Amino acid sequence: MTAATTPKGERRRAALVAAAGELLVEGGFESVRHRAVAHRAHIPLAATTYYFESLGDLLSHAVAYAGDRDVAAVRARVEAVSRRKRGDSALAKVLASVFFASDTDADRGALVSRYERMVLCTRDPELTRLQAQMRNVLAELHVEVLARSGRRAAPTDVERLMAIEDGAALAAFTAQGADVPRAVREALVTVVDDLAPVLP
């Protein structure tokens, strides 16, 4: 048994991943550095190179951690969505509130991090793969919200729905003080009936 697979080693490694993931969400990719991660985790600096082959390896785990935490928060909001038929305005509001929650600084930070990862991870095949996995889960959660709202949508239409959300969110991020959920809601309200029709 190597040190990395002992209970103590696993705890240390998990603490480093969590620290790196939290730094990534709070401050972006430039925040994930060996010294900062070790300080955040209260673990000796040498441990960051002992448990991870490189900074890139640590960053991959940070991206996965941040994505998992984001998905978990979204999933919790999905599970709180009641089952009833919704019109276009009501459905657009639910989708915006579930997938683009910005009620707290932490919510907004997680949302900014989601789109930062989406853009910057395209430069690395492994990070792109991780982002694709997360996006697939978010698509499944969209299907669940639609089903709870008495709607159906083909996979290609879910992709189009999410693309519209992405465009509205990214545009809103560039406007000072913009309300991202509102921007997404306004973009969705005119298309949800076409992309996710009401079940008969």
Side-chain angles (χ1 to χ4, degrees), residues 71 115 118 130-140 158-159 162-163 166:
V71 165
Y115 281 92
M118 178 186 294
L130 292 172
Q131 284 303 105
Q133 288 181 342
M134 176 186 170
R135 192 163 181 82
N136 288 339
V137 176
L138 290 176
E140 293 170 1
V158 173
E159 290 176 8
M162 292 174 67
D166 293 338

Side-chain angles (χ1 to χ4, degrees), residues 84-93 149 151 189 192-193 198:
R84 66 178 180 84
K85 287 192 175 182
R86 292 181 171 86
D88 52 5
S89 295
L91 177 56
K93 182 177 181 179
S149 302
R151 303 281 183 138
V189 72
V192 288
D193 282 344
V198 178

Side-chain angles (χ1 to χ4, degrees), residues 4-46:
T5 57
T6 63
K8 180 180 179 181
E10 288 295 331
R11 287 194 300 271
R12 278 191 158 194
R13 193 171 187 279
L16 289 167
V17 169
E22 290 164 2
L23 286 168
L24 176 63
V25 171
E26 293 170 10
F29 282 73
E30 291 301 315
S31 298
V32 183
R33 294 291 181 263
H34 287 121
R35 189 174 299 279
V37 171
H39 179 76
R40 180 67 168 258
H42 304 291
I43 290 174
L45 176 60

Side-chain angles (χ1 to χ4, degrees), residues 13-14 16-18 20-22 24 32 51-68 126-127 130:
R13 193 171 187 279
L16 289 167
V17 169
E22 290 164 2
L24 176 63
V32 183
Y51 293 111
F52 302 95
E53 295 178 0
S54 63
L55 181 60
D57 182 27
L58 178 57
L59 189 57
S60 292
H61 285 84
V63 167
Y65 178 91
D68 288 345
E126 173 59 16
L127 299 184
L130 292 172

Side-chain angles (χ1 to χ4, degrees), residues 11 17-18 29 41 44 54-55 74 76 83 85 89 94 97 110 119 121 125 142 153 162 167 178 182 186-187 194:
R11 287 194 300 271
V17 169
F29 282 73
S54 63
L55 181 60
V74 171
R83 293 186 179 275
K85 287 192 175 182
S89 295
V94 167
S97 63
V119 173
C121 284
H142 273 76
M162 292 174 67
R182 180 179 178 178
E186 291 176 349
D194 290 332

